[in-house]
């Protein structure tokens, strides 16, 4: 799946998102693609549940990750201390408060594709909800999410990966209703 600049930006901007971008002071370990993605496209300030991007978070909190190139934000809670980061192998990981590392995506590009796929999946559920007022999120819906994320990054849906957890969390949702 190729990340397209206009749909990616427009999609998140529809939800009032701005983008964290870098134009200078890149960590020297970033590769050319990562520099391009972070300067030209950026990470949405309002993305999807579980990921809260903020390229300035490490400076604000003085976060030091020995195995990390760049802290991308936090995971699971907006004000939490589980950090989403790009590691020295150029993989996206989460460092939990207890020191455990969890795999998220094989690259920054694959993370961006995955959050776009997840967000469009959530949007499709919201559209159904508007039409039906109550929907069942069934196995077909969660398989659609699984295959969308898998198309972005096969490793992302492997057991123990954060996306595997997210897909399985969504599988436990039985019904979404409008109050």
């Amino acid at each position: 799946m190729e990340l397209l600049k206009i749909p990616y930006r427009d999609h998140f901007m529809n939800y009032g998102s701005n983008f964290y971008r870098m134009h200078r002071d890149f960590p020297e370990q970033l590769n050319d693609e990562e520099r391009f993605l972070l300067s030209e496209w950026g990470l949405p300030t309002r993305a999807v549940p579980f990921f809260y991007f903020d390229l300035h978070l490490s400076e604000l909190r003085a976060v030091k990750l020995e195995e990390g190139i760049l802290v991308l934000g936090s995971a699971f809670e907006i004000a939490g201390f589980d950090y989403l980061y790009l590691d020295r192998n150029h993989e996206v990981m989460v460092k939990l408060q207890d020191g455990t590392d969890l795999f998220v995506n094989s690259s920054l590009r694959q993370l961006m594709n995955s959050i776009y796929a997840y967000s469009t999946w959530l949007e499709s559920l919201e559209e159904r909800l508007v039409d039906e007022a109550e929907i069942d999120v069934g196995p077909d819906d969660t398989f659609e999410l699984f295959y969308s994320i898998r198309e972005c990054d096969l490793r992302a849906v492997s057991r123990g990966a954060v996306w595997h957890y997210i897909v399985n969390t969504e599988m436990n949702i039985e019904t979404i209703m409008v109050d």
Side-chain angles (χ1 to χ4, degrees), residues 114-133:
S114 296
I115 64 169
Y116 178 74
Y118 185 53
S119 186
T120 57
W121 179 80
L122 288 173
E123 186 177 67
S124 71
L125 293 180
E126 290 171 359
E127 289 171 3
R128 281 183 29 211
L129 186 58
V130 167
D131 293 338
E132 301 172 26

Side-chain angles (χ1 to χ4, degrees), residues 160-175:
V162 172
W163 285 111
H164 177 81
Y165 165 79
I166 292 170
V167 169
N168 283 302
T169 298
E170 295 298 350
M171 289 181 149
N172 292 326
I173 297 174
E174 294 176 11
T175 304

Side-chain angles (χ1 to χ4, degrees), residues 2 4 20 23 41 45-46 71 85 92 105 107 121 141 148 156 168 172 174 177:
E2 182 62 29
L4 300 175
Y20 285 105
H23 297 290
W41 295 358
T45 56
R46 295 182 186 188
V71 173
Y85 71 99
V92 179
N105 282 103
S107 70
W121 179 80
D141 298 309
S148 293
N168 283 302
N172 292 326
E174 294 176 11
M177 299 182 336

Side-chain angles (χ1 to χ4, degrees), residues 96-115:
L96 298 177
Q97 290 181 53
D98 69 6
T100 304
D101 287 302
L102 300 175
F103 177 81
V104 180
N105 282 103
S106 300
S107 70
L108 181 60
R109 178 179 294 274
Q110 289 168 314
L111 170 70
M112 293 168 80
N113 281 322
S114 296
I115 64 169

Side-chain angles (χ1 to χ4, degrees), residues 51 53 65 67-76 82-96 99-108 111 155 160-163:
F51 299 121
F53 299 109
L65 300 175
E67 60 281 341
I69 296 173
L70 179 66
V71 173
L72 303 172
S74 61
F76 310 124
D82 299 315
Y83 296 107
L84 185 68
Y85 71 99
L86 191 62
D87 77 0
R88 295 189 189 283
N89 295 321
H90 302 275
E91 296 176 336
V92 179
M93 306 288 288
V94 170
K95 172 70 81 181
L96 298 177
T100 304
D101 287 302
L102 300 175
F103 177 81
V104 180
N105 282 103
S106 300
S107 70
L108 181 60
L111 170 70
R155 285 184 58 209
V162 172
W163 285 111

